[in-house]
């Protein structure tokens, strides 16, 4: 198992990583080393590493140019302990030692105030998010915690996504997790920005999205601020380490860090035997930028005759950041005698030659100065996003010095005439930018200009809806706000599923819509489309869940009728403690329509219900088309039925002639009384 690793950076931008597994490792340019580095600026066997299970030691193996750890040169054959994050300089190579643990990530204890809890009453889970405890630099790693608590009575699976910074910087120990009821599980988020100059420092708004997989509309989002610090580092190398008198040395510089880096260049020789001519001793390089400094070394006391002499000198470059890192490149100047060894025997004849040389030298010194010329000045792109680098190149002649101005302000001066191009950082620029290259030769000067358009790129889009969830069958007001830094126009879709109100087709980079009334039947997906001045597009989606309005009996069971009146037929009863969905109110607002199982709906008195806090029953849609009241039942008056009772027959009467007139005598039959 590896106990560490070495990250090796070349001046031209090449990068290699070597895991450290063996307890004894040698580094140098020879193929016999454990790690062989192909460059002639280091020794065949330059330094070694040893590991005893607890600590790692570095030892310089009597290298020619020395081994520097954090700017300090090591004594040969004297071990020094490495702590992790140490910066090693050998030749023109820059090496970072990283100490590794067996665990890929470790939880970080933070104070309670850094924990944020996200919980929505309508959802059956909550989040507790603990952000990184401190800022960190690229190449290092930092952890954050997401604790998911299942507050329901069933096990659920949850999916975790993290956005807001480059995806390759983010590692999750698991993206999906099954959580039992009333249990919590932890997900570790590891942040590790790449140690490259394009790793932009600053505050990143990192979004954590947790979704219940069986109900994608159940989703919670949390935000944390992750601060990435800048890191420093540079590379340097001399094109030639052995110079003849009159040769110019070319020093290549490369800012390998992620922040602007001031550099100071100093040349020193042993016993102050040389003097130096540098066009500039200080410069500032943008992240990833390269620069070439051309200088010249002269003997303080030139030799006229005799044997050639060798003068060693060092070119030292010190960073102007807090690290004050020092890098050294060694070179050698070979001074050949101006005159041959037999010159003392021919001084007399040489006097004439010397006079002639003086005349020629004066003619050279007082020759007419030719005017400088810029035959080409080019920009590799006409349009660029703010913060990206732009390459400038040119072709000049008869020039002693160059300078570059941006919008009439000099940003780089004393550029060597041998430099043919630079990289320009556009972080502080916006709009139409005029780049002017000024060439000088003596008192004469000329210039050339190019125009560059720098546009603000799209930043992180935020889209917020209030309320964060809607309720079916309820008239609600929805407010939308958004921000899309860098956008020149935005479009919003998805509101047509909520309202029939006419909306603008386009908006600005920031905006809001308030008091938008409507009724939601299904979950709403809002999508904000943003476009910058260069035509680049970006979109941000926001899902608004929709829940049912639910009520239950406030006391005893509630009787439901076929219409909003007690005179309608009874269609069912809602038992105490049972929640039902209500989907309408009558015109008076005194009755609510509830849904029962089996598709049956009925009306109950509103005052007999206790409703959820997610809605106001007074905002339910009003149902005006209700069944007509049933006809009144007629009142039946009782009728009397006569009772026939029998009567006893009277005795027969015999009529005599003395009692009747004298007529024919009829016979009378007795009849029953009626």
């Amino acid at each position: 198992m590896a106990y560490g690793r070495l990250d090796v950076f070349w001046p031209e931008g090449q990068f290699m990583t070597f895991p450290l597994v063996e307890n004894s490792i040698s580094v140098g340019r020879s193929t016999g080393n454990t790690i062989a580095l192909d460059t002639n600026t280091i020794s065949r066997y330059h330094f070694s590493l040893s590991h005893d299970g607890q600590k790692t030691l570095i030892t310089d193996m009597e290298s020619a140019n020395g081994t520097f750890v954090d700017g300090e040169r090591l004594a040969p054959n004297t071990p020094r302990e490495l702590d992790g994050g140490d910066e090693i300089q050998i030749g023109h190579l820059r090496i970072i030692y990283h100490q590794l643990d067996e665990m890929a990530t470790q939880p970080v204890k933070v104070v309670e105030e850094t924990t944020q809890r996200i919980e929505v009453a309508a959802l059956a889970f909550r989040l507790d998010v603990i952000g990184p405890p401190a800022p960190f630099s690229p190449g290092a790693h930092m952890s954050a915690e997401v604790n998911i608590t299942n507050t329901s009575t069933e096990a659920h699976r949850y999916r975790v996504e993290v956005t807001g910074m480059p995806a390759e910087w983010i590692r999750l120990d698991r993206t999906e997790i099954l959580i039992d009821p009333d249990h919590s599980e932890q997900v570790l988020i590891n942040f590790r920005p790449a140690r490259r100059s394009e790793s932009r420092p600053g505050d990143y708004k990192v979004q954590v999205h947790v979704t219940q997989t069986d109900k994608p509309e159940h989703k919670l989002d949390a935000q944390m601020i992750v601060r990435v610090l800048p890191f420093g580092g540079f590379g340097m190398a001399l094109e030639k380490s052995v110079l003849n008198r009159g040769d110019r040395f070319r020093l290549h510089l490369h800012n390998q860090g992620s922040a602007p880096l001031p550099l100071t260049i100093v040349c020193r020789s042993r016993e102050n035997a040389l003097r130096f001519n540098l066009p500039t001793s200080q410069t500032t390089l943008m992240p990833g930028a390269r620069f070439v400094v051309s200088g010249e070394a002269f003997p303080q006391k030139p030799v006229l005759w005799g044997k050639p002499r060798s003068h060693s000198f060092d070119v030292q470059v010190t960073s102007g950041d807090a690290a004050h890192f020092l890098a050294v490149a060694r070179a050698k100047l070979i001074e050949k005698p101006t005159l041959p060894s037999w010159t003392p025997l021919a001084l007399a004849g040489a006097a004439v030659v010397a006079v002639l040389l003086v005349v020629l030298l004066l003619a050279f010194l007082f020759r007419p100065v030719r005017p400088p010329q810029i035959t080409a000045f080019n920009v590799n792109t006409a349009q660029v996003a703010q913060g990206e680098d732009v390459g400038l190149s040119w072709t000049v002649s008869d020039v002693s010095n160059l300078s570059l101005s941006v919008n009439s302000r000099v940003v780089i001066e004393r550029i060597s005439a041998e430099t043919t191009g630079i990289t320009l950082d556009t972080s502080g620029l916006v709009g139409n930018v005029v780049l002017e290259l000024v060439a000088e030769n003596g008192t004469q000067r000329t210039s050339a200009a190019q125009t560059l358009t720098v546009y603000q790129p799209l930043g992180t889009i935020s889209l917020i809806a209030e309320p964060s969830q809607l309720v079916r069958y309820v008239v609600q007001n929805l407010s939308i706000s958004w921000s899309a830094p860098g956008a020149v126009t935005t479009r919003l879709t998805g509101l047509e599923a909520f309202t029939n109100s006419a909306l603008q087709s386009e908006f600005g980079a920031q905006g809001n819509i308030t008091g938008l009334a409507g009724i939601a039947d299904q979950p709403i997906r809002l999508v904000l489309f943003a476009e910058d001045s260069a035509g680049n597009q970006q979109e941000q989606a926001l899902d608004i869940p929709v829940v049912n309005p639910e009520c239950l009996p406030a006391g005893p069971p509630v009787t439901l009728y076929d219409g909003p009146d007690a005179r309608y037929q009874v269609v069912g009863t809602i038992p105490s403690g049972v929640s039902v969905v209500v989907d309408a109110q009558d015109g008076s607002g005194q009755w609510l329509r509830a849904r029962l199982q089996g598709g049956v709906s009925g009306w109950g008195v509103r005052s007999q219900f206790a409703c959820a806090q997610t809605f106001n029953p007074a905002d339910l849609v009003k149902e005006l088309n209700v069944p007509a009241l049933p006809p009144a039942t007629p009142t039946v008056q009782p009728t009397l039925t006569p009772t026939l009772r029998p009567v006893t027959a009277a005795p027969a009467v015999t009529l005599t002639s003395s009692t009747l007139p004298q007529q024919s005598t009829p016979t009378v039959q007795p009849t029953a009384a009626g």
Side-chain angles (χ1 to χ4, degrees):
M1 180 176 294
Y3 58 85
R5 77 170 192 272
L6 294 181
D7 291 343
V8 182
F9 299 85
W10 270 261
E12 61 272 22
Q14 183 184 358
F15 167 82
M16 295 182 70
T17 295
F18 298 91
L20 305 178
V21 179
E22 301 176 12
N23 291 333
S24 180
I25 292 175
S26 62
V27 180
R29 74 170 187 270
S30 173
T31 57
N33 289 281
T34 312
I35 299 176
L37 303 175
D38 186 16
T39 171
N40 59 7
T41 64
I42 65 175
S43 299
R44 295 179 65 250
Y45 295 90
H46 204 102
F47 71 87
S48 66
L49 296 176
S50 61
H51 184 70
D52 61 0
Q54 294 183 346
K55 58 185 178 180
T56 303
L57 302 177
I58 182 172
T59 304
D60 179 79
M61 302 168 68
E62 299 183 347
S63 61
N65 296 329
T67 302
F68 296 81
V69 176
D70 292 337
E72 180 180 354
R73 183 166 184 168
L74 302 182
N77 299 318
T78 302
R80 168 174 169 168
E81 184 177 354
L82 298 177
D83 299 321
D86 308 83
E87 193 161 8
I88 305 168
Q89 183 80 31
I90 58 172
H92 67 193
L93 300 182
R94 178 169 163 268
I95 304 173
I96 305 297
Y97 167 73
H98 296 277
Q99 184 174 353
L100 303 182
D101 292 330
E102 294 182 0
M103 294 180 61
T105 59
Q106 291 183 346
V108 179
K109 294 183 179 179
V110 296
V111 294
E112 184 66 24
E113 286 75 13
T114 64
T115 302
Q116 57 173 312
R117 172 166 293 182
I118 309 299
E119 186 171 5
V120 175
L123 302 184
F125 69 98
R126 70 170 183 265
L127 303 182
D128 293 287
V129 179
I130 304 176
F136 57 99
S137 300
H141 64 81
M142 192 63 68
S143 299
E145 298 178 16
V146 178
N147 292 288
I148 307 171
T149 301
N150 181 0
T151 59
S152 71
T153 58
E154 298 179 358
H156 291 290
R157 185 175 294 275
Y158 302 90
R159 183 173 62 254
V160 183
E161 298 176 295
V162 180
T163 61
M165 62 167 45
E168 61 271 18
W169 293 6
I170 303 171
R171 295 292 184 272
L172 297 176
D173 64 343
R174 45 187 171 177
T175 57
E176 285 199 6
I177 183 171
L178 179 66
I179 305 178
D180 293 330
D182 292 326
H183 279 70
S184 298
E185 292 288 344
Q186 182 187 83
V187 176
L188 283 179
I189 307 173
N190 293 313
F191 300 102
R192 187 161 190 161
R195 194 176 178 86
R196 297 195 297 265
S197 57
E198 57 267 26
S199 295
R200 178 178 59 83
D203 290 345
Y204 289 80
K205 296 180 179 179
V206 176
Q207 303 284 339
V208 180
H209 314 282
V210 179
T211 307
Q212 186 174 319
T213 57
D214 58 340
K215 293 184 178 180
E217 68 274 13
H218 289 190
K219 181 178 181 181
L220 289 179
D221 297 333
Q223 178 175 293
M224 68 181 78
I225 301 299
V226 178
R227 176 167 295 176
V228 177
L229 301 174
F231 74 95
F234 67 92
M236 61 167 289
L238 287 170
E239 278 190 6
K240 295 171 60 178
S241 58
V242 179
L243 306 172
N244 292 317
R245 183 178 177 182
D247 293 344
R248 298 183 68 87
F249 61 85
R250 288 168 56 87
L251 177 67
H252 291 258
L253 300 173
H254 178 204
N255 182 2
Q256 298 167 341
S258 61
L261 183 64
L263 297 175
T264 301
I265 307 166
V266 177
C267 296
R268 289 190 173 92
S269 64
R270 295 181 179 179
E271 299 178 357
N272 199 26
L274 301 176
R275 57 187 176 88
F276 301 92
N277 179 22
L278 280 176
T280 180
S281 61
Q282 292 184 337
T283 186
T284 298
L285 299 184
M286 295 298 153
R290 302 174 184 272
F291 189 62
V292 179
V293 178
S294 179
E296 194 170 2
F298 304 92
Q300 290 281 15
K301 298 179 180 179
V303 61
L304 295 178
W305 55 77
K307 296 181 179 181
R309 293 189 299 179
S310 174
H311 303 280
S312 296
F313 66 93
D314 293 330
V315 180
Q316 300 178 354
V317 180
T318 306
S319 65
D321 56 5
H324 295 292
F325 182 77
L326 172 66
V328 179
R330 176 157 293 180
K332 183 183 296 184
L333 176 67
I334 304 299
E335 181 190 9
K336 296 181 180 179
T338 306
L339 302 174
S341 57
W342 42 263
T343 299
L345 303 177
L347 286 178
V352 177
V353 177
V355 172
L356 181 60
L357 290 176
V358 171
V359 173
L360 294 176
L361 179 61
L362 292 175
F364 174 78
L365 293 176
F366 292 98
R367 74 188 187 282
V369 178
R370 301 178 63 179
Q373 292 186 357
I374 301 176
T375 56
F377 178 42
N378 301 310
V379 182
N380 65 351
T381 180
Q383 189 179 54
V384 65
Q386 187 181 53
E388 294 184 0
D389 292 342
V390 172
L392 309 180
S393 61
W394 55 76
T395 303
V396 299
S397 59
D398 299 320
V399 172
S400 60
N401 183 60
L402 293 168
S403 62
L404 179 69
S405 297
V406 177
N407 291 336
S408 302
R409 183 175 65 87
V410 178
V411 294
I412 304 178
E413 58 182 353
R414 297 181 182 178
I415 304 174
S416 169
E418 298 182 8
T419 302
T420 59
I422 62 171
T423 300
L424 179 66
D425 178 65
T426 62
S427 297
L429 305 177
V430 68
N432 291 329
V433 177
V434 178
L435 307 175
E436 183 181 14
L437 180 69
V438 178
E440 299 178 344
N441 192 16
T443 59
Q444 302 186 63
R445 59 183 291 168
T446 186
S447 64
Q450 287 283 2
T451 300
L452 173 68
T453 300
V454 181
Y455 64 90
Q456 185 177 2
L458 290 171
T460 301
I461 298 177
S462 65
L463 180 60
I464 301 173
E466 180 63 35
S468 59
Q469 74 173 14
L470 299 172
V471 184
R472 288 185 178 89
Y473 317 121
V474 175
V475 179
Q476 292 178 275
N477 288 329
L478 182 64
S479 297
I480 309 295
S481 62
W482 65 88
S483 175
V488 296
T489 181
T490 57
R491 293 184 296 106
L492 188 64
T493 64
L495 285 174
E496 61 274 6
F498 175 73
T499 181
N500 293 326
S501 300
L503 299 175
Q504 295 177 225
S505 59
E506 292 185 349
F507 301 91
Q510 295 181 342
N512 61 80
I513 302 174
T514 59
L516 192 64
I519 302 175
D521 292 332
Q522 299 295 330
I524 297 175
R525 184 174 183 83
L526 301 179
V527 181
L528 183 71
F529 298 89
E531 183 174 337
D532 61 19
S533 59
N536 300 314
Q537 294 185 349
Q538 188 174 332
E539 63 182 67
Q540 178 68 42
L542 176 64
D543 292 320
I544 305 177
V546 178
V547 299
N548 288 321
E550 295 186 352
C551 299
L552 51 76
V558 176
T559 301
L560 299 182
Y561 299 90
D562 192 35
D565 196 292
R567 290 175 289 176
Y568 284 94
Q569 180 181 351
V570 175
V571 296
T573 302
I574 305 174
S576 298
V578 176
S579 294
V580 295
V581 176
V582 293
D583 61 3
Q585 62 176 326
D586 73 329
S588 67
Q590 302 301 312
W591 291 77
L592 301 181
R593 187 171 65 190
R595 292 184 173 185
L596 300 178
Q597 292 183 352
V600 177
S601 296
W603 294 84
V605 178
R606 173 180 171 180
S607 60
Q608 296 178 1
F609 287 97
C611 296
Q613 297 297 320
T614 56
F615 74 104
N616 184 356
D619 294 332
L620 281 168
V621 295
K622 291 187 176 182
E623 179 60 73
L624 302 179
N625 297 322
V626 298
L629 282 169
T633 304
T635 303
V636 179
Q637 298 295 331
T639 58
L640 298 176
T641 303
T643 303
L644 299 180
R645 296 179 180 178
V647 179
T648 305
V653 178
T654 303
L655 298 179
T656 63
S657 59
S658 62
T659 61
L660 292 174
Q662 295 296 316
Q663 293 179 357
S664 60
T665 303
T667 301
V668 179
Q669 298 293 332
T671 59

